[in-house]
């Protein structure tokens, strides 16, 4: 699984002393603009997101861009709307699932750039079921729908104050077992039962338009909450 540069930059912005700045896209040539396009796919809806940035004076200090001077972004012909964020603005659109998603970035000179990513099969975790009690002394069998031959998924369990976490890239065969004893509870925990969650996700890259910098991905996933017990 590849981590997109937008995620890296977001983490860097959160470090504290590092700030993120916003400028107008109309002030930058196309080759100075980096585009981050993504679409989150489910069985019933697709949510597309776009953001734009240009390198700052320091590599870890990017300048995020707001589309101005008649620059526009659409996905499958649907205009994406600006959404203000705490660190930088993004552009979003909600649409019906499709076989592919085409992000069209149009500049003020009417030059347009089509970046395309094929859809990705949505997945649903079928085991464990939500709110299941799972013993740490037993294997935890995770199963999900629509496996992809020769593909990979990420299995993620966030760490909590007392329970360790897990992050594994595994083959997308529809099942994965977390061995008994992998999940351990800190001896300082006041309770033996701890609420946690399991996520399974998959993603793949699309093709950026020629002459356009950036990344384009389609992704899908599911999360269930469960109770980790003795």
């Amino acid at each position: 699984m590849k981590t997109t540069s937008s995620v890296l930059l977001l983490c860097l912005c959160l470090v504290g002393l590092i700030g993120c700045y916003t400028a107008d896209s109309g002030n930058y040539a196309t080759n100075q603009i980096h585009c981050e396009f993504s679409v989150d796919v489910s069985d019933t809806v697709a949510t597309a997101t776009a953001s734009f940035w240009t390198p700052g004076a320091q590599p870890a200090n990017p300048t995020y861009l707001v589309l101005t001077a008649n620059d526009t972004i659409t996905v499958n012909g649907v205009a994406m709307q600006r959404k203000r964020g705490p660190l930088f603005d993004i552009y979003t659109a909600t649409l019906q699932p499709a076989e592919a998603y085409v992000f069209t970035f149009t500049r003020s000179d009417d030059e347009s750039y089509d970046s395309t990513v094929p859809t990705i099969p949505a997945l649903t975790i079928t085991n464990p079921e939500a709110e299941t009690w799972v013993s740490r002394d037993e294997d935890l069998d995770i199963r999900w729908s629509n496996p992809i031959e020769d593909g990979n998924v990420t299995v993620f369990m966030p760490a909590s104050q007392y329970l360790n976490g897990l992050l594994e890239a595994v083959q997308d065969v529809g099942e994965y077992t977390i061995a008994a004893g992998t999940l351990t509870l800190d001896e300082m925990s006041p309770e033996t039962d701890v609420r946690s969650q399991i996520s399974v996700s998959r993603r793949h890259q699309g093709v950026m338009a020629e002459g356009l910098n950036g990344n384009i991905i389609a992704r899908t996933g599911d999360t269930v909450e469960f109770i980790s017990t003795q």
Side-chain angles (χ1 to χ4, degrees):
M1 298 285 180
K2 294 183 179 178
T3 301
T4 64
S5 20
S6 62
V7 174
L8 173 61
L9 289 167
L10 175 59
C11 293
L12 290 171
C13 290
L14 291 171
V15 168
L17 296 178
I18 298 174
C20 286
Y21 302 92
T22 301
D24 294 340
S25 67
N27 294 333
Y28 294 88
T30 301
N31 62 5
Q32 296 176 296
I33 297 176
H34 293 252
C35 309
E36 301 291 341
F37 302 143
S38 64
V39 57
D40 291 282
V41 179
S42 74
D43 288 328
T44 58
V45 70
T47 303
T49 304
S51 62
F52 305 87
W53 58 275
T54 191
Q58 301 175 359
N61 195 5
T63 298
Y64 278 88
L65 304 178
V66 174
L67 298 185
T68 60
N70 295 319
D71 289 347
T72 62
I73 181 69
T74 64
V75 56
N76 289 6
V78 177
M80 302 183 70
Q81 303 300 315
R82 180 181 174 186
K83 182 178 180 180
R84 297 182 182 275
L87 296 175
F88 56 90
D89 293 353
I90 61 174
Y91 292 80
T92 66
T94 301
L95 56 161
Q96 293 296 312
E99 293 185 0
Y101 301 91
V102 181
F103 289 76
T104 301
F105 180 40
T106 304
R107 304 304 317 271
S108 56
D109 58 5
D110 293 328
E111 189 76 22
S112 64
Y113 302 84
D114 290 341
S115 303
T116 304
V117 62
T119 194
I120 191 167
L123 69 80
T124 300
I125 296 175
T126 57
N127 193 74
E129 296 181 356
E131 303 302 321
T132 300
W133 292 69
V134 179
S135 172
R136 292 183 290 275
D137 295 329
E138 298 178 2
D139 291 348
L140 172 53
D141 294 323
I142 305 168
R143 291 190 290 273
W144 59 91
S145 62
N146 299 326
I148 298 177
E149 185 176 359
D150 298 325
N152 292 304
V153 296
T154 296
V155 177
F156 175 59
M157 183 179 145
S160 64
Q161 183 177 4
Y162 298 108
L163 189 68
N164 64 315
L166 178 111
L167 177 63
E168 295 285 349
V170 304
Q171 288 186 313
D172 192 353
V173 295
E175 58 184 9
Y176 177 72
T177 298
I178 299 177
T182 301
L183 304 179
T184 58
L185 192 68
D186 190 286
E187 61 182 13
M188 299 299 292
S189 175
E191 303 287 344
T192 58
D193 303 329
V194 179
R195 179 173 291 275
S196 189
Q197 61 184 29
I198 285 284
S199 298
V200 179
S201 61
R202 63 166 69 106
R203 65 171 61 192
H204 61 215
Q205 296 282 135
V207 178
M208 291 296 292
E210 184 176 354
L212 203 61
N213 301 313
N215 297 284
I216 180 171
I217 62 170
R219 58 196 176 201
T220 188
D222 192 21
T223 300
V224 296
E225 292 192 351
F226 66 98
I227 309 298
S228 177
T229 188
Q230 194 75 32

